[in-house]
Amino acid sequence: MELSARQWLIIGALIVGFAIAAIVARGDGTREPDFDSATWCSGAQGLAGLEPLFTGTAASATAADYDAAKEALYAVETTAPFELRDAVNFLSDFTFVAGQQFDVFDWPAAYDAARDNTDTAVVDRSLADLDRELQTCGVAFAG
């Protein structure tokens, strides 16, 4: 089977068209979702003063305090900067574990038990990342 010049031209155009479509569809892979700093900073006000619950330096705490912290984190998880969303999720997980520990222990033993049941390096890194971002909003994470 021999192809005519017109058929070769059509095949060539299809190859070039598919190549261009593949390049456009692939993109550079680095685009992050849009970020609205005003919405983030407005919602981040709800996190003010919560750091002592995560560091164990609160004078006292209850399961309700951790539930409130979890709700505050849930409120900002979709508005947080993209690179901070994992940190918010890790801290939300910590509040859940800490809240459960109050079924067995009182403060501060409940906090210690929660730290024993989580990856403390991840929690500490998440706290540092969150604190840094809150400072850019002028929110005092420390109590």
Side-chain angles (χ1 to χ4, degrees), residues 13-58:
L14 287 171
I15 292 171
V16 170
F18 282 121
I20 291 171
I23 291 170
V24 169
R26 184 185 73 197
D28 64 1
T30 61
R31 187 176 184 282
E32 293 180 355
D34 293 334
F35 172 66
D36 182 356
S37 62
T39 301
W40 156 244
C41 287
S42 175
Q45 296 296 326
L47 302 175
L50 293 181
E51 184 185 46
L53 291 176
F54 296 102
T55 59
T57 58

Side-chain angles (χ1 to χ4, degrees), residues 71-118:
E71 292 302 319
L73 289 164
Y74 285 168
V76 298
E77 71 181 332
T78 58
T79 61
F82 186 74
E83 63 276 359
L84 188 64
R85 291 181 184 177
D86 283 342
V88 170
N89 289 328
F90 288 129
L91 293 174
S92 296
D93 291 346
F94 178 78
T95 61
F96 180 74
V97 172
Q100 288 180 326
Q101 297 305 316
F102 279 95
D103 291 341
V104 180
F105 302 106
D106 291 328
W107 180 261
Y111 170 81
D112 294 333
R115 293 280 293 184
D116 291 342
N117 289 302
T118 57

Side-chain angles (χ1 to χ4, degrees), residues 54-66:
F54 296 102
T55 59
T57 58
S60 68
T62 64
D65 294 329
Y66 280 99

